[in-house]
């Protein structure tokens, strides 16, 4: 029986080797024709500057779409929200629970919830008039940036804004309309980072106290080989459940943007 199995295994290997060597021959015997693709800009046989300008505008818009994730992250409430949620997960020492997909998804939905009035204003003042042909593209971009500029300016610290104004060596802006976006965006980002880290510190304090109590208790009992993190994690989860932690965290995030 064992001999017949070995013989069958050898026959199978020989058959596989024959197939491997014959497949390239069959493939070379039937060449594949590749269709020719031609790309032409403008009209055929005549100059068409308007078509060329429109084509270049489409290319520029497609290039800007690749930067859309950066705009969503750095010019909205997403930065503060995702950092605070990550701090919450790390403070409880639950590793990858909740997973990254849940944290990022919740951060995105909370961002859309917070930014919804601003997005509605941008749609009414810039997007719809542009689609109806009432305003030009440059005017739509300028008008649409105003609500977002007001949001970022309101949540930016004067100290951070003054830093980038001094480094850029521009005149001191008198109003928020005078602040260029290349100065406002990085100032807004570092302000959001500071606020997120402040909220993260406040989240870590109660969990740190639990870790210290558990570690002191284990040392007094002589259990030096037992990691305190394993013992303290159930107490952290119990505390987080009793105070309805997710409700407190989300409500604090929402109220911080009011």
């Amino acid at each position: 029986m064992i001999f017949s199995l070995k013989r069958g295994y050898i026959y199978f290997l020989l058959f596989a080797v024959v197939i491997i060597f014959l497949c390239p021959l069959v493939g070379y015997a039937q060449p594949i024709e590749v269709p020719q693709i031609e790309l032409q800009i403008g009209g055929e046989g005549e100059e068409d500057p308007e078509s060329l300008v429109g084509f270049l505008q489409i290319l520029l818009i497609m290039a800007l779409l690749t930067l859309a994730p950066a705009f969503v992250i750095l010019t909205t409430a997403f930065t503060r929200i995702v950092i605070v949620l990550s701090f919450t997960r790390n403070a409880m020492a639950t590793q990858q629970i909740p997973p990254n997909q849940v944290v990022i998804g919740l951060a995105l939905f909370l961002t859309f919830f917070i930014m919804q009035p601003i997005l509605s204003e941008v749609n009414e003042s810039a997007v719809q008039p542009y689609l109806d042909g009432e305003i030009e593209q440059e005017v739509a971009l300028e008008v649409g940036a105003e609500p977002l500029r007001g949001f970022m300016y309101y949540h930016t610290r004067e100290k951070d804004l003054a830093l980038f104004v001094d480094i850029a060596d521009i005149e001191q802006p008198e109003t928020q309309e005078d602040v260029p976006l290349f100065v406002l965006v990085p100032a807004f980002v570092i302000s959001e980072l500071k606020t997120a880290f402040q909220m993260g510190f406040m989240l870590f304090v109660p969990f740190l106290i639990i870790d210290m109590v558990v570690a002191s208790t284990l040392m007094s009992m002589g259990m030096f080989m037992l990691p305190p993190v394993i013992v303290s994690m159930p107490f952290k989860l119990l505390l987080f459940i009793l105070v309805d932690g997710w409700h407190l965290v989300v409500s604090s995030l929402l109220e911080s943007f009011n």
Side-chain angles (χ1 to χ4, degrees):
M1 181 67 180
I2 297 177
F3 180 76
S4 60
L5 289 176
K6 291 183 177 179
R7 190 189 323 181
Y9 182 70
I10 294 174
Y11 288 160
F12 175 76
L13 290 179
L14 292 176
F15 178 74
V17 171
V18 172
I19 293 296
I20 291 174
F21 280 100
L22 288 180
C23 285
L25 297 178
V26 175
Y28 288 126
Q30 299 178 357
I32 300 175
E33 297 183 359
V34 179
Q36 297 181 357
I37 301 176
E38 296 182 359
L39 179 62
Q40 182 178 358
I41 301 176
E44 183 178 357
E46 60 180 0
E47 297 182 356
D48 193 357
E50 296 182 357
S51 300
L52 179 60
V53 172
F55 180 76
L56 294 177
Q57 289 179 349
I58 293 175
L59 289 181
L60 179 60
I61 293 174
M62 294 178 63
L64 291 177
L65 287 177
T66 59
L67 302 176
F71 287 113
V72 172
I73 293 173
L74 299 179
T75 61
T76 62
F78 181 82
T79 302
R80 184 190 305 184
I81 294 173
V82 74
I83 291 177
V84 171
L85 294 179
S86 299
F87 269 124
T88 304
R89 182 178 64 180
N90 293 333
M92 291 188 296
T94 54
Q95 301 299 327
Q96 296 297 321
I97 300 174
N100 293 329
Q101 293 85 349
V102 175
V103 173
I104 296 176
L106 178 59
L108 283 174
F109 276 102
L110 291 177
T111 300
F112 291 143
F113 179 81
I114 294 172
M115 303 296 295
Q116 195 275 332
I118 299 172
L119 296 177
S120 300
E121 185 177 354
V122 172
N123 181 56
E124 295 176 0
S125 61
V127 177
Q128 293 301 326
Y130 174 71
L131 295 178
D132 296 336
E134 299 177 1
I135 58 177
E136 298 293 333
Q137 181 178 357
E138 293 78 7
V139 179
L141 291 175
E142 183 177 357
V143 174
E146 289 304 320
L148 190 60
R149 183 196 300 272
F151 171 80
M152 290 189 293
Y153 186 85
Y154 180 78
H155 294 284
T156 302
R157 292 180 173 86
E158 295 183 1
K159 180 180 178 181
D160 299 330
L161 187 60
L163 171 65
F164 287 96
V165 170
D166 294 338
I167 295 177
D169 195 16
I170 60 176
E171 297 181 358
Q172 292 294 331
E174 298 180 357
T175 60
Q176 69 178 28
E177 288 78 11
D178 299 332
V179 181
L181 287 177
F182 73 90
V183 171
L184 181 59
V185 172
F188 169 74
V189 172
I190 64 174
S191 297
E192 288 293 287
L193 289 175
K194 182 177 181 179
T195 304
F197 273 71
Q198 289 175 345
M199 298 180 68
F201 172 77
M202 298 303 296
L203 286 170
F204 259 96
V205 170
F207 297 112
L208 180 62
I209 294 175
I210 294 177
D211 286 333
M212 295 175 62
V213 172
V214 171
S216 301
T217 305
L218 292 178
M219 290 182 62
S220 62
M221 297 175 62
M223 299 180 179
F224 299 101
M225 302 302 295
L226 182 62
V229 178
I230 298 178
V231 181
S232 62
M233 187 174 66
F235 293 99
K236 293 179 182 179
L237 294 177
L238 179 61
L239 174 64
F240 198 73
I241 293 172
L242 290 177
V243 300
D244 198 0
W246 289 115
H247 176 81
L248 291 177
V249 172
V250 172
S251 62
S252 299
L253 284 170
L254 296 178
E255 292 175 357
S256 65
F257 287 100
N258 292 332

